[in-house]
Short mmCIF file of all heavy atoms in Angstrom, two decimals:
data_model
loop_
_atom_site.label_atom_id
_atom_site.label_comp_id
_atom_site.label_asym_id
_atom_site.label_seq_id
_atom_site.Cartn_x
_atom_site.Cartn_y
_atom_site.Cartn_z
N ILE B 86 221.78 -232.93 -13.25
CA ILE B 86 222.27 -231.61 -13.33
C ILE B 86 223.42 -231.35 -12.27
O ILE B 86 223.30 -231.90 -11.13
CB ILE B 86 221.15 -230.50 -13.12
CG1 ILE B 86 220.40 -230.69 -11.86
CG2 ILE B 86 220.28 -230.46 -14.40
CD1 ILE B 86 219.62 -229.48 -11.42
N GLN B 87 224.41 -230.67 -12.67
CA GLN B 87 225.41 -230.22 -11.75
C GLN B 87 224.94 -228.87 -11.26
O GLN B 87 224.51 -228.10 -12.04
CB GLN B 87 226.78 -230.21 -12.30
CG GLN B 87 227.22 -231.60 -12.74
CD GLN B 87 228.65 -231.74 -13.01
OE1 GLN B 87 229.12 -232.91 -13.33
NE2 GLN B 87 229.50 -230.72 -12.97
N MET B 88 225.04 -228.67 -9.97
CA MET B 88 224.70 -227.29 -9.48
C MET B 88 225.79 -226.78 -8.58
O MET B 88 226.15 -227.48 -7.58
CB MET B 88 223.34 -227.31 -8.74
CG MET B 88 223.00 -225.95 -8.19
SD MET B 88 221.38 -225.86 -7.40
CE MET B 88 220.35 -225.73 -8.87
N THR B 89 226.34 -225.61 -8.94
CA THR B 89 227.37 -225.07 -8.09
C THR B 89 226.78 -223.89 -7.21
O THR B 89 225.71 -223.36 -7.54
CB THR B 89 228.53 -224.40 -9.00
OG1 THR B 89 228.01 -223.19 -9.53
CG2 THR B 89 228.97 -225.34 -10.05
N VAL B 90 227.52 -223.61 -6.19
CA VAL B 90 227.11 -222.55 -5.29
C VAL B 90 227.97 -221.24 -5.58
O VAL B 90 227.87 -220.29 -4.93
CB VAL B 90 227.32 -222.89 -3.81
CG1 VAL B 90 226.34 -223.96 -3.41
CG2 VAL B 90 228.75 -223.36 -3.56
N ARG B 91 228.70 -221.34 -6.74
CA ARG B 91 229.54 -220.17 -7.06
C ARG B 91 228.67 -219.04 -7.59
O ARG B 91 228.94 -217.82 -7.26
CB ARG B 91 230.45 -220.64 -8.21
CG ARG B 91 231.33 -219.56 -8.78
CD ARG B 91 232.04 -220.01 -10.07
NE ARG B 91 231.04 -220.41 -11.03
CZ ARG B 91 231.14 -221.48 -11.82
NH1 ARG B 91 232.23 -222.23 -11.86
NH2 ARG B 91 230.17 -221.84 -12.67
N ASP B 92 227.61 -219.30 -8.31
CA ASP B 92 226.93 -218.27 -8.99
C ASP B 92 225.54 -217.87 -8.43
O ASP B 92 224.94 -217.03 -8.99
CB ASP B 92 226.75 -218.64 -10.46
CG ASP B 92 227.94 -219.18 -11.12
OD1 ASP B 92 228.99 -218.56 -10.88
OD2 ASP B 92 227.92 -220.12 -11.88
N ARG B 93 225.10 -218.66 -7.48
CA ARG B 93 223.72 -218.41 -7.03
C ARG B 93 223.65 -218.30 -5.45
O ARG B 93 224.28 -219.13 -4.79
CB ARG B 93 222.86 -219.65 -7.26
CG ARG B 93 222.74 -220.12 -8.68
CD ARG B 93 222.14 -221.54 -8.66
NE ARG B 93 221.84 -222.04 -9.94
CZ ARG B 93 222.78 -222.76 -10.67
NH1 ARG B 93 224.00 -223.02 -10.22
NH2 ARG B 93 222.37 -223.22 -11.87
N ASN B 94 222.88 -217.32 -5.02
CA ASN B 94 222.69 -217.26 -3.56
C ASN B 94 221.56 -218.28 -3.28
O ASN B 94 221.02 -218.95 -4.13
CB ASN B 94 222.41 -215.92 -3.05
CG ASN B 94 221.09 -215.28 -3.53
OD1 ASN B 94 220.30 -216.01 -4.12
ND2 ASN B 94 220.92 -214.08 -3.32
N ARG B 95 221.21 -218.37 -1.97
CA ARG B 95 220.26 -219.44 -1.58
C ARG B 95 218.87 -219.21 -2.29
O ARG B 95 218.10 -220.19 -2.47
CB ARG B 95 220.13 -219.49 -0.09
CG ARG B 95 219.59 -218.28 0.58
CD ARG B 95 219.81 -218.36 2.13
NE ARG B 95 221.20 -218.17 2.48
CZ ARG B 95 221.71 -218.23 3.73
NH1 ARG B 95 220.89 -218.59 4.72
NH2 ARG B 95 222.95 -218.07 3.90
N ILE B 96 218.52 -218.02 -2.57
CA ILE B 96 217.23 -217.72 -3.25
C ILE B 96 217.29 -218.31 -4.62
O ILE B 96 216.33 -219.09 -5.04
CB ILE B 96 216.98 -216.18 -3.32
CG1 ILE B 96 216.83 -215.67 -1.91
CG2 ILE B 96 215.72 -215.96 -4.11
CD1 ILE B 96 216.83 -214.13 -1.81
N ALA B 97 218.31 -218.05 -5.42
CA ALA B 97 218.41 -218.59 -6.75
C ALA B 97 218.62 -220.10 -6.77
O ALA B 97 218.06 -220.80 -7.58
CB ALA B 97 219.62 -217.94 -7.46
N VAL B 98 219.38 -220.61 -5.80
CA VAL B 98 219.56 -222.07 -5.68
C VAL B 98 218.25 -222.80 -5.56
O VAL B 98 217.90 -223.73 -6.33
CB VAL B 98 220.51 -222.42 -4.49
CG1 VAL B 98 220.35 -223.87 -4.09
CG2 VAL B 98 221.94 -222.10 -4.83
N GLN B 99 217.40 -222.29 -4.62
CA GLN B 99 216.14 -222.94 -4.32
C GLN B 99 215.19 -222.84 -5.46
O GLN B 99 214.45 -223.75 -5.82
CB GLN B 99 215.57 -222.47 -2.99
CG GLN B 99 216.42 -222.83 -1.87
CD GLN B 99 216.03 -222.19 -0.55
OE1 GLN B 99 215.57 -222.92 0.39
NE2 GLN B 99 216.18 -220.89 -0.38
N ALA B 100 215.20 -221.62 -6.14
CA ALA B 100 214.29 -221.38 -7.27
C ALA B 100 214.67 -222.38 -8.36
O ALA B 100 213.85 -222.91 -9.01
CB ALA B 100 214.48 -219.94 -7.72
N ASP B 101 216.04 -222.55 -8.58
CA ASP B 101 216.42 -223.45 -9.68
C ASP B 101 216.20 -224.91 -9.32
O ASP B 101 215.93 -225.70 -10.24
CB ASP B 101 217.96 -223.24 -9.94
CG ASP B 101 218.15 -222.01 -10.84
OD1 ASP B 101 217.20 -221.40 -11.30
OD2 ASP B 101 219.36 -221.58 -11.02
N LEU B 102 216.24 -225.30 -8.05
CA LEU B 102 215.92 -226.62 -7.67
C LEU B 102 214.48 -226.92 -7.94
O LEU B 102 214.08 -227.97 -8.45
CB LEU B 102 216.30 -226.94 -6.21
CG LEU B 102 217.82 -226.96 -5.88
CD1 LEU B 102 218.02 -226.99 -4.38
CD2 LEU B 102 218.50 -228.15 -6.56
N LEU B 103 213.64 -225.99 -7.50
CA LEU B 103 212.12 -226.07 -7.79
C LEU B 103 211.91 -226.22 -9.31
O LEU B 103 211.11 -227.06 -9.74
CB LEU B 103 211.41 -224.90 -7.18
CG LEU B 103 211.36 -224.80 -5.67
CD1 LEU B 103 210.72 -223.53 -5.27
CD2 LEU B 103 210.66 -225.99 -4.97
N GLY B 104 212.64 -225.38 -10.06
CA GLY B 104 212.43 -225.39 -11.47
C GLY B 104 212.84 -226.66 -12.16
O GLY B 104 212.20 -227.20 -13.01
N ALA B 105 214.02 -227.13 -11.72
CA ALA B 105 214.57 -228.37 -12.28
C ALA B 105 213.60 -229.54 -12.01
O ALA B 105 213.30 -230.23 -12.93
CB ALA B 105 215.96 -228.64 -11.68
N ALA B 106 213.21 -229.65 -10.76
CA ALA B 106 212.27 -230.71 -10.43
C ALA B 106 210.99 -230.57 -11.20
O ALA B 106 210.40 -231.59 -11.63
CB ALA B 106 212.14 -230.82 -8.93
N GLY B 107 210.54 -229.37 -11.34
CA GLY B 107 209.26 -229.04 -12.07
C GLY B 107 209.42 -229.47 -13.55
O GLY B 107 208.39 -229.77 -14.20
N LEU B 108 210.55 -229.43 -14.06
CA LEU B 108 210.77 -229.83 -15.44
C LEU B 108 210.99 -231.38 -15.66
O LEU B 108 211.15 -231.82 -16.74
CB LEU B 108 212.06 -229.14 -16.06
CG LEU B 108 211.96 -227.63 -16.33
CD1 LEU B 108 213.26 -227.03 -16.60
CD2 LEU B 108 210.98 -227.35 -17.45
#
Side-chain angles (χ1 to χ4, degrees):
Chain B
I86 53 163
Q87 298 196 177
M88 181 175 279
T89 73
V90 291
R91 177 191 57 220
D92 311 321
R93 304 168 173 87
N94 69 8
R95 65 192 71 185
I96 297 171
V98 161
Q99 294 173 112
D101 280 353
L102 290 170
L103 293 173
L108 288 170

